[in-house]
Amino acid sequence: MDRIRQTGSGRLKQTSAGPAHDPGAIDVLNKGIALMEQPIGHDEIVRRGWNLLREDLTLPAAVLYEDRLQHNLEWMRQFTAAYGARLAPHGKTTMAPRLFAMQLAAGAWGITLATAHQTQVAYAHGVRRVLMANQLIGKQNMAIVAALLRDPEFEFYCLIDSAEQVDQLGSYFSHCGARLNVLLEVGVDGGRAGVRNREQLQSILDALGKWSHAIALCGVEVYEGVLDNEADIRAFLLHAVDVTKEIAAKKCFQRTPILLSGAGSAWYDVVAEAFSPRDFEHAVEVVLRPGCYLTHDVGAYRIAQDRILNSNSVARQMGAGLKPALQVWAYVQSVPEANKAIVGLGKRDAAFDSGLPVPALHFRPGSVTPHPVPANWMVTRMMDQHAYLQIAADDDIRPGDMIAFDIAHPCLTFDKWRVLALVNGAYDVIDLIQTFF
Amino acid sequence: MDRIRQTGSGRLKQTSAGPAHDPGAIDVLNKGIALMEQPIGHDEIVRRGWNLLREDLTLPAAVLYEDRLQHNLEWMRQFTAAYGARLAPHGKTTMAPRLFAMQLAAGAWGITLATAHQTQVAYAHGVRRVLMANQLIGKQNMAIVAALLRDPEFEFYCLIDSAEQVDQLGSYFSHCGARLNVLLEVGVDGGRAGVRNREQLQSILDALGKWSHAIALCGVEVYEGVLDNEADIRAFLLHAVDVTKEIAAKKCFQRTPILLSGAGSAWYDVVAEAFSPRDFEHAVEVVLRPGCYLTHDVGAYRIAQDRILNSNSVARQMGAGLKPALQVWAYVQSVPEANKAIVGLGKRDAAFDSGLPVPALHFRPGSVTPHPVPANWMVTRMMDQHAYLQIAADDDIRPGDMIAFDIAHPCLTFDKWRVLALVNGAYDVIDLIQTFF
């Protein structure tokens, strides 16, 4: 068996692949980092002494705040522990293996992912338990998973929701001699994937019967985030529990405890409540999958968090809720009109589909500390590389000023960056976080 | 001076930097490529014999069509030549150095870019003339440009639009002994950056007077795409011509011929007409900067192209217009309701801000050839990793089917991919195109 070595990024590399470069090194050709002559290893970063406020990074730059990440990690650890639930944070949000490692170190049971490619990335960086909250489809995607399953330490689950798909998986995995763990996705009319009715369910169970040597049904999965009000969500979750009991009564599950998984980043409290104290005859392991809690935001997830802090008794007792831990910093590049500044921050740099970025801090290079922006400042439009910032005529703002923007929708902000800067409370760069989208 | 070697990707690497990895090699951890054991060099790709229809790529995958790219390159070459204009395609659209190289090989004068980081990427891959159609702002961004300007073969222009910014540039570049070429950006009320009035213009000319050893004014630039009707655009372009004449009369330009540049991907015909036959006393070099022509789309740029083909006499004579050369292929992963299929294509894979992706081709693995999709198929919603595809109850579609989607807004599709597959007419993969966002 090949020896493996853990690199700076935590990426595991087979030494038999030859003396290739350190895959954890950060290439010089990334936006939002310092000007460098050569790729830099993670162990060198702190030594460089880069500081955001001394303009050591090229802007725009995506910045993660270490203290707020740690706060959010601890908050979610306590919350899920209070319900006796497992946490498998959705890794598609960040696709940053160093953040996966932080989540696992903070007690996460595994990492949730959306695709075979994402699973491959996580495995390459040491993740050994993945819930792929999606149907596994297509020859090469199956080949990726089959290759990873050769490692007996790798635990993997993916979703099924049709007999046709079960037959495709059964054919592939029986051919290569592997056994695939699957969860039945239960869906809802008007929603995304997942079985809608008893006929679909029965046809899947029949198909599974044909492929029991190649496919093991381990539990039930839902994504309640396709619904948008609590009553519908609670009804859907109860339905999923009923389906789980029905399948358990038929003795079709091949895992003990049975896995029961749900929860995006907006309704994980309701899922924790609905799935937690159940009168199952069989042991059940509840797995929650929020992804955005790690960096939080000032858009839909702040609204969701406000609801949770108001209505959930566990969250209420925990005091301070999640904190926005990701900002994008950019320069003012022009103030062409009395009420308008143009900022070098665009759709290439931050999400714009769930609310535009919100200006938070204003810093003039050479001054001591950033200040909160005036309450009247607001992003009114974004283009690919620019934002329009509405200001008042007398506001003190000029080209070269730095502005920190809070963001809405971390998933579509992370995927704009190959490297994000991790800073401490003094804005010193203490690490560079790579993504693998 | 360091020897340089051209790598597979065209990236120029100083050998003094040591025996690092081939920076042109494609890493295994990218979505939309084949399953690979090790990074692959460009010279190996054709030998692998990958074919899209044989499911040799993991889907979703972004696919570029060689024949259509060549058609579009030749179309734009002929169009700009007819006006005697230079072409500096906006490279921010693709950020793919191999496509920059195709554009330069097809006669482009240079590459337009939006940021210092993008300029650095282009330079590293051999581009030696860059028009940065943006203000250069911030210490590290200036440092990037100053480092590149040490190469006397590198020709670079960026924009100015305020005395404050001119002072910042003058201070930096005089300090490091370099001379920076700039273009004056002329803007319009309600638009983006750029001078709005005579007072702003005069203050900039005054500032330039202080820094003539460090900053050379070489021409005038506009971005007419902030306006949305032809009459306003024509008036704006005439104004820019007047400003150019006024500055020329004051003998403030330090380049012969004077550069006069405009044109995004929607109105390049109008800019070509308005800037072309001008009664300047001085020689003028007109530089057009469309970026999306290379892959075209089925959204805003198809609409723009239809207008051009109808109204522009040069385009009318050229016959077939631009062709959509970029598609994203994805698997059907579920057909949970009679009228709905769920496809593994999301906001992580294609632009959604200027129209959703449009299903174009349907292919069932094992069959002979893709067929056009039924006219009733339509994407109705996109999530991060999924699209809802509306179908009719009797349509023949099932999990594992492949669908090719045309896209709207290439810029925000390219930036979702680190590698795109270049295919020939038989869907053989003939290259992998890397991006550097």
mmCIF file of all heavy atoms in Angstrom, chain A residues 169-184:
data_model
loop_
_atom_site.group_PDB
_atom_site.id
_atom_site.type_symbol
_atom_site.label_atom_id
_atom_site.label_comp_id
_atom_site.label_asym_id
_atom_site.label_seq_id
_atom_site.Cartn_x
_atom_site.Cartn_y
_atom_site.Cartn_z
ATOM 1 N N LEU A 169 -27.199 2.272 -10.523
ATOM 2 C CA LEU A 169 -26.181 2.105 -9.475
ATOM 3 C C LEU A 169 -25.885 0.619 -9.248
ATOM 4 O O LEU A 169 -24.719 0.224 -9.109
ATOM 5 C CB LEU A 169 -26.667 2.734 -8.164
ATOM 6 C CG LEU A 169 -26.788 4.253 -8.116
ATOM 7 C CD1 LEU A 169 -27.418 4.675 -6.780
ATOM 8 C CD2 LEU A 169 -25.428 4.921 -8.283
ATOM 9 N N GLY A 170 -26.948 -0.172 -9.186
ATOM 10 C CA GLY A 170 -26.765 -1.597 -8.935
ATOM 11 C C GLY A 170 -25.908 -2.241 -10.008
ATOM 12 O O GLY A 170 -24.990 -3.026 -9.724
ATOM 13 N N SER A 171 -26.193 -1.900 -11.244
ATOM 14 C CA SER A 171 -25.434 -2.455 -12.353
ATOM 15 C C SER A 171 -23.965 -2.064 -12.247
ATOM 16 O O SER A 171 -23.068 -2.904 -12.381
ATOM 17 C CB SER A 171 -26.046 -1.951 -13.667
ATOM 18 O OG SER A 171 -25.243 -2.337 -14.744
ATOM 19 N N TYR A 172 -23.705 -0.786 -11.961
ATOM 20 C CA TYR A 172 -22.319 -0.320 -11.920
ATOM 21 C C TYR A 172 -21.561 -0.924 -10.745
ATOM 22 O O TYR A 172 -20.467 -1.461 -10.893
ATOM 23 C CB TYR A 172 -22.260 1.207 -11.847
ATOM 24 C CG TYR A 172 -20.861 1.732 -11.995
ATOM 25 C CD1 TYR A 172 -20.358 2.081 -13.246
ATOM 26 C CD2 TYR A 172 -20.000 1.816 -10.898
ATOM 27 C CE1 TYR A 172 -19.049 2.512 -13.392
ATOM 28 C CE2 TYR A 172 -18.698 2.232 -11.038
ATOM 29 C CZ TYR A 172 -18.226 2.585 -12.281
ATOM 30 O OH TYR A 172 -16.934 3.000 -12.441
ATOM 31 N N PHE A 173 -22.144 -0.824 -9.548
ATOM 32 C CA PHE A 173 -21.387 -1.213 -8.356
ATOM 33 C C PHE A 173 -21.292 -2.733 -8.193
ATOM 34 O O PHE A 173 -20.327 -3.236 -7.624
ATOM 35 C CB PHE A 173 -21.941 -0.514 -7.109
ATOM 36 C CG PHE A 173 -21.508 0.922 -7.049
ATOM 37 C CD1 PHE A 173 -22.262 1.928 -7.640
ATOM 38 C CD2 PHE A 173 -20.296 1.257 -6.458
ATOM 39 C CE1 PHE A 173 -21.834 3.249 -7.616
ATOM 40 C CE2 PHE A 173 -19.864 2.583 -6.435
ATOM 41 C CZ PHE A 173 -20.624 3.580 -7.018
ATOM 42 N N SER A 174 -22.281 -3.470 -8.703
ATOM 43 C CA SER A 174 -22.112 -4.924 -8.638
ATOM 44 C C SER A 174 -21.010 -5.343 -9.611
ATOM 45 O O SER A 174 -20.230 -6.245 -9.329
ATOM 46 C CB SER A 174 -23.432 -5.643 -8.951
ATOM 47 O OG SER A 174 -23.848 -5.365 -10.263
ATOM 48 N N HIS A 175 -20.915 -4.646 -10.726
ATOM 49 C CA HIS A 175 -19.879 -4.948 -11.709
ATOM 50 C C HIS A 175 -18.487 -4.733 -11.126
ATOM 51 O O HIS A 175 -17.557 -5.492 -11.420
ATOM 52 C CB HIS A 175 -20.079 -4.054 -12.930
ATOM 53 C CG HIS A 175 -19.166 -4.382 -14.069
ATOM 54 N ND1 HIS A 175 -19.327 -5.505 -14.847
ATOM 55 C CD2 HIS A 175 -18.070 -3.743 -14.552
ATOM 56 C CE1 HIS A 175 -18.383 -5.545 -15.764
ATOM 57 N NE2 HIS A 175 -17.602 -4.485 -15.604
ATOM 58 N N CYS A 176 -18.324 -3.690 -10.286
ATOM 59 C CA CYS A 176 -16.975 -3.434 -9.751
ATOM 60 C C CYS A 176 -16.811 -4.002 -8.345
ATOM 61 O O CYS A 176 -15.810 -3.736 -7.680
ATOM 62 C CB CYS A 176 -16.615 -1.952 -9.828
ATOM 63 S SG CYS A 176 -17.595 -0.876 -8.814
ATOM 64 N N GLY A 177 -17.774 -4.765 -7.893
ATOM 65 C CA GLY A 177 -17.584 -5.500 -6.643
ATOM 66 C C GLY A 177 -17.641 -4.656 -5.383
ATOM 67 O O GLY A 177 -17.181 -5.089 -4.323
ATOM 68 N N ALA A 178 -18.178 -3.454 -5.475
ATOM 69 C CA ALA A 178 -18.280 -2.605 -4.286
ATOM 70 C C ALA A 178 -19.724 -2.595 -3.795
ATOM 71 O O ALA A 178 -20.653 -2.988 -4.508
ATOM 72 C CB ALA A 178 -17.829 -1.189 -4.613
ATOM 73 N N ARG A 179 -19.918 -2.140 -2.560
ATOM 74 C CA ARG A 179 -21.267 -2.015 -2.016
ATOM 75 C C ARG A 179 -21.473 -0.569 -1.616
ATOM 76 O O ARG A 179 -20.666 0.021 -0.900
ATOM 77 C CB ARG A 179 -21.436 -2.944 -0.810
ATOM 78 C CG ARG A 179 -22.877 -3.113 -0.377
ATOM 79 C CD ARG A 179 -23.089 -4.521 0.212
ATOM 80 N NE ARG A 179 -24.488 -4.813 0.494
ATOM 81 C CZ ARG A 179 -25.006 -4.861 1.729
ATOM 82 N NH1 ARG A 179 -24.248 -4.616 2.776
ATOM 83 N NH2 ARG A 179 -26.289 -5.150 1.904
ATOM 84 N N LEU A 180 -22.547 0.011 -2.123
ATOM 85 C CA LEU A 180 -22.798 1.440 -1.965
ATOM 86 C C LEU A 180 -23.874 1.654 -0.902
ATOM 87 O O LEU A 180 -24.949 1.048 -0.974
ATOM 88 C CB LEU A 180 -23.268 2.005 -3.318
ATOM 89 C CG LEU A 180 -23.504 3.502 -3.401
ATOM 90 C CD1 LEU A 180 -22.185 4.259 -3.338
ATOM 91 C CD2 LEU A 180 -24.247 3.843 -4.698
ATOM 92 N N ASN A 181 -23.594 2.547 0.054
ATOM 93 C CA ASN A 181 -24.602 2.927 1.049
ATOM 94 C C ASN A 181 -25.488 4.029 0.488
ATOM 95 O O ASN A 181 -24.977 5.031 -0.024
ATOM 96 C CB ASN A 181 -23.941 3.473 2.307
ATOM 97 C CG ASN A 181 -23.092 2.441 3.015
ATOM 98 O OD1 ASN A 181 -23.417 1.258 3.006
ATOM 99 N ND2 ASN A 181 -22.001 2.892 3.606
ATOM 100 N N VAL A 182 -26.794 3.858 0.614
ATOM 101 C CA VAL A 182 -27.690 4.894 0.095
ATOM 102 C C VAL A 182 -28.744 5.256 1.145
ATOM 103 O O VAL A 182 -29.064 4.462 2.038
ATOM 104 C CB VAL A 182 -28.397 4.450 -1.204
ATOM 105 C CG1 VAL A 182 -27.386 4.151 -2.300
ATOM 106 C CG2 VAL A 182 -29.297 3.248 -0.959
ATOM 107 N N LEU A 183 -29.252 6.482 0.990
ATOM 108 C CA LEU A 183 -30.388 6.952 1.776
ATOM 109 C C LEU A 183 -31.525 7.219 0.807
ATOM 110 O O LEU A 183 -31.297 7.735 -0.294
ATOM 111 C CB LEU A 183 -30.038 8.248 2.527
ATOM 112 C CG LEU A 183 -28.762 8.242 3.385
ATOM 113 C CD1 LEU A 183 -28.554 9.618 4.021
ATOM 114 C CD2 LEU A 183 -28.830 7.163 4.460
ATOM 115 N N LEU A 184 -32.719 6.889 1.215
ATOM 116 C CA LEU A 184 -33.887 7.192 0.389
ATOM 117 C C LEU A 184 -34.227 8.666 0.551
ATOM 118 O O LEU A 184 -34.452 9.136 1.669
ATOM 119 C CB LEU A 184 -35.082 6.357 0.836
ATOM 120 C CG LEU A 184 -36.381 6.722 0.123
ATOM 121 C CD1 LEU A 184 -36.419 6.086 -1.253
ATOM 122 C CD2 LEU A 184 -37.593 6.338 0.957
#
